[in-house]
PDB file of all heavy atoms in Angstrom:
ATOM      1  N   PHE A 233     195.167 -15.577 119.024  1.00 91.00           N
ATOM      2  CA  PHE A 233     193.749 -15.231 118.911  1.00 91.00           C
ATOM      3  C   PHE A 233     193.018 -15.557 120.205  1.00 91.00           C
ATOM      4  O   PHE A 233     192.221 -14.764 120.713  1.00 91.00           O
ATOM      5  CB  PHE A 233     193.133 -15.998 117.736  1.00 91.00           C
ATOM      6  CG  PHE A 233     191.742 -15.556 117.365  1.00 91.00           C
ATOM      7  CD1 PHE A 233     191.540 -14.692 116.310  1.00 91.00           C
ATOM      8  CD2 PHE A 233     190.640 -16.011 118.078  1.00 91.00           C
ATOM      9  CE1 PHE A 233     190.261 -14.284 115.966  1.00 91.00           C
ATOM     10  CE2 PHE A 233     189.359 -15.614 117.748  1.00 91.00           C
ATOM     11  CZ  PHE A 233     189.154 -14.738 116.684  1.00 91.00           C
ATOM     12  N   THR A 234     193.308 -16.725 120.765  1.00 91.00           N
ATOM     13  CA  THR A 234     192.662 -17.148 122.008  1.00 91.00           C
ATOM     14  C   THR A 234     193.019 -16.218 123.160  1.00 91.00           C
ATOM     15  O   THR A 234     192.160 -15.828 123.959  1.00 91.00           O
ATOM     16  CB  THR A 234     193.071 -18.583 122.345  1.00 91.00           C
ATOM     17  OG1 THR A 234     192.835 -19.418 121.216  1.00 91.00           O
ATOM     18  CG2 THR A 234     192.298 -19.111 123.534  1.00 91.00           C
ATOM     19  N   GLU A 235     194.294 -15.875 123.245  1.00 88.00           N
ATOM     20  CA  GLU A 235     194.743 -14.949 124.297  1.00 88.00           C
ATOM     21  C   GLU A 235     194.184 -13.550 124.072  1.00 88.00           C
ATOM     22  O   GLU A 235     193.717 -12.888 125.008  1.00 88.00           O
ATOM     23  CB  GLU A 235     196.266 -14.914 124.308  1.00 88.00           C
ATOM     24  CG  GLU A 235     196.868 -13.967 125.328  1.00 88.00           C
ATOM     25  CD  GLU A 235     198.387 -13.929 125.271  1.00 88.00           C
ATOM     26  OE1 GLU A 235     198.987 -14.878 124.732  1.00 88.00           O
ATOM     27  OE2 GLU A 235     198.951 -12.939 125.769  1.00 88.00           O
ATOM     28  N   GLY A 236     194.237 -13.083 122.830  1.00 83.00           N
ATOM     29  CA  GLY A 236     193.824 -11.717 122.527  1.00 83.00           C
ATOM     30  C   GLY A 236     192.342 -11.474 122.752  1.00 83.00           C
ATOM     31  O   GLY A 236     191.945 -10.415 123.267  1.00 83.00           O
ATOM     32  N   THR A 237     191.496 -12.445 122.373  1.00 85.00           N
ATOM     33  CA  THR A 237     190.070 -12.254 122.604  1.00 85.00           C
ATOM     34  C   THR A 237     189.747 -12.237 124.094  1.00 85.00           C
ATOM     35  O   THR A 237     188.842 -11.519 124.529  1.00 85.00           O
ATOM     36  CB  THR A 237     189.255 -13.345 121.896  1.00 85.00           C
ATOM     37  OG1 THR A 237     189.757 -14.639 122.265  1.00 85.00           O
ATOM     38  CG2 THR A 237     189.326 -13.201 120.392  1.00 85.00           C
ATOM     39  N   GLY A 238     190.491 -13.025 124.868  1.00 84.00           N
ATOM     40  CA  GLY A 238     190.305 -12.958 126.314  1.00 84.00           C
ATOM     41  C   GLY A 238     190.694 -11.602 126.865  1.00 84.00           C
ATOM     42  O   GLY A 238     189.975 -11.014 127.691  1.00 84.00           O
ATOM     43  N   ASN A 239     191.835 -11.089 126.412  1.00 79.00           N
ATOM     44  CA  ASN A 239     192.292  -9.778 126.882  1.00 79.00           C
ATOM     45  C   ASN A 239     191.297  -8.674 126.547  1.00 79.00           C
ATOM     46  O   ASN A 239     191.018  -7.788 127.366  1.00 79.00           O
ATOM     47  CB  ASN A 239     193.642  -9.437 126.246  1.00 79.00           C
ATOM     48  CG  ASN A 239     194.782 -10.234 126.831  1.00 79.00           C
ATOM     49  OD1 ASN A 239     194.724 -10.681 127.974  1.00 79.00           O
ATOM     50  ND2 ASN A 239     195.827 -10.438 126.053  1.00 79.00           N
ATOM     51  N   ASP A 240     190.769  -8.701 125.328  1.00 76.00           N
ATOM     52  CA  ASP A 240     189.968  -7.580 124.843  1.00 76.00           C
ATOM     53  C   ASP A 240     188.483  -7.681 125.167  1.00 76.00           C
ATOM     54  O   ASP A 240     187.808  -6.663 125.320  1.00 76.00           O
ATOM     55  CB  ASP A 240     190.132  -7.447 123.324  1.00 76.00           C
ATOM     56  CG  ASP A 240     191.539  -7.036 122.930  1.00 76.00           C
ATOM     57  OD1 ASP A 240     192.102  -6.158 123.599  1.00 76.00           O
ATOM     58  OD2 ASP A 240     192.085  -7.601 121.971  1.00 76.00           O
ATOM     59  N   TRP A 241     187.952  -8.918 125.255  1.00 81.00           N
ATOM     60  CA  TRP A 241     186.503  -9.051 125.288  1.00 81.00           C
ATOM     61  C   TRP A 241     185.941  -9.766 126.507  1.00 81.00           C
ATOM     62  O   TRP A 241     184.723  -9.744 126.713  1.00 81.00           O
ATOM     63  CB  TRP A 241     186.034  -9.786 124.038  1.00 81.00           C
ATOM     64  CG  TRP A 241     186.158  -8.957 122.798  1.00 81.00           C
ATOM     65  CD1 TRP A 241     187.091  -9.087 121.803  1.00 81.00           C
ATOM     66  CD2 TRP A 241     185.342  -7.847 122.417  1.00 81.00           C
ATOM     67  NE1 TRP A 241     186.899  -8.136 120.833  1.00 81.00           N
ATOM     68  CE2 TRP A 241     185.829  -7.355 121.184  1.00 81.00           C
ATOM     69  CE3 TRP A 241     184.243  -7.217 123.005  1.00 81.00           C
ATOM     70  CZ2 TRP A 241     185.246  -6.272 120.538  1.00 81.00           C
ATOM     71  CZ3 TRP A 241     183.663  -6.139 122.357  1.00 81.00           C
ATOM     72  CH2 TRP A 241     184.163  -5.679 121.132  1.00 81.00           C
ATOM     73  N   LEU A 242     186.778 -10.412 127.311  1.00 84.00           N
ATOM     74  CA  LEU A 242     186.236 -11.208 128.416  1.00 84.00           C
ATOM     75  C   LEU A 242     185.440 -10.341 129.400  1.00 84.00           C
ATOM     76  O   LEU A 242     184.306 -10.677 129.772  1.00 84.00           O
ATOM     77  CB  LEU A 242     187.365 -11.935 129.147  1.00 84.00           C
ATOM     78  CG  LEU A 242     186.934 -12.786 130.348  1.00 84.00           C
ATOM     79  CD1 LEU A 242     185.898 -13.826 129.935  1.00 84.00           C
ATOM     80  CD2 LEU A 242     188.152 -13.470 130.964  1.00 84.00           C
ATOM     81  N   GLY A 243     186.022  -9.214 129.830  1.00 82.00           N
ATOM     82  CA  GLY A 243     185.320  -8.354 130.785  1.00 82.00           C
ATOM     83  C   GLY A 243     184.004  -7.848 130.230  1.00 82.00           C
ATOM     84  O   GLY A 243     182.966  -7.856 130.910  1.00 82.00           O
ATOM     85  N   VAL A 244     184.033  -7.384 128.977  1.00 79.00           N
ATOM     86  CA  VAL A 244     182.809  -6.879 128.345  1.00 79.00           C
ATOM     87  C   VAL A 244     181.775  -7.998 128.214  1.00 79.00           C
ATOM     88  O   VAL A 244     180.571  -7.793 128.438  1.00 79.00           O
ATOM     89  CB  VAL A 244     183.134  -6.291 126.955  1.00 79.00           C
ATOM     90  CG1 VAL A 244     181.860  -5.896 126.221  1.00 79.00           C
ATOM     91  CG2 VAL A 244     184.066  -5.102 127.085  1.00 79.00           C
ATOM     92  N   ALA A 245     182.243  -9.195 127.854  1.00 84.00           N
ATOM     93  CA  ALA A 245     181.323 -10.303 127.616  1.00 84.00           C
ATOM     94  C   ALA A 245     180.558 -10.693 128.876  1.00 84.00           C
ATOM     95  O   ALA A 245     179.344 -10.954 128.823  1.00 84.00           O
ATOM     96  CB  ALA A 245     182.082 -11.513 127.068  1.00 84.00           C
ATOM     97  N   VAL A 246     181.220 -10.762 130.021  1.00 87.00           N
ATOM     98  CA  VAL A 246     180.508 -11.166 131.240  1.00 87.00           C
ATOM     99  C   VAL A 246     179.603 -10.043 131.742  1.00 87.00           C
ATOM    100  O   VAL A 246     178.555 -10.311 132.356  1.00 87.00           O
ATOM    101  CB  VAL A 246     181.488 -11.625 132.346  1.00 87.00           C
ATOM    102  CG1 VAL A 246     182.258 -12.850 131.913  1.00 87.00           C
ATOM    103  CG2 VAL A 246     182.435 -10.516 132.753  1.00 87.00           C
TER     104      VAL A 246
END
Side-chain angles (χ1 to χ4, degrees):
F233 190 99
T234 308
E235 179 182 340
T237 52
N239 286 334
D240 293 318
W241 289 106
L242 179 57
V244 174
V246 297

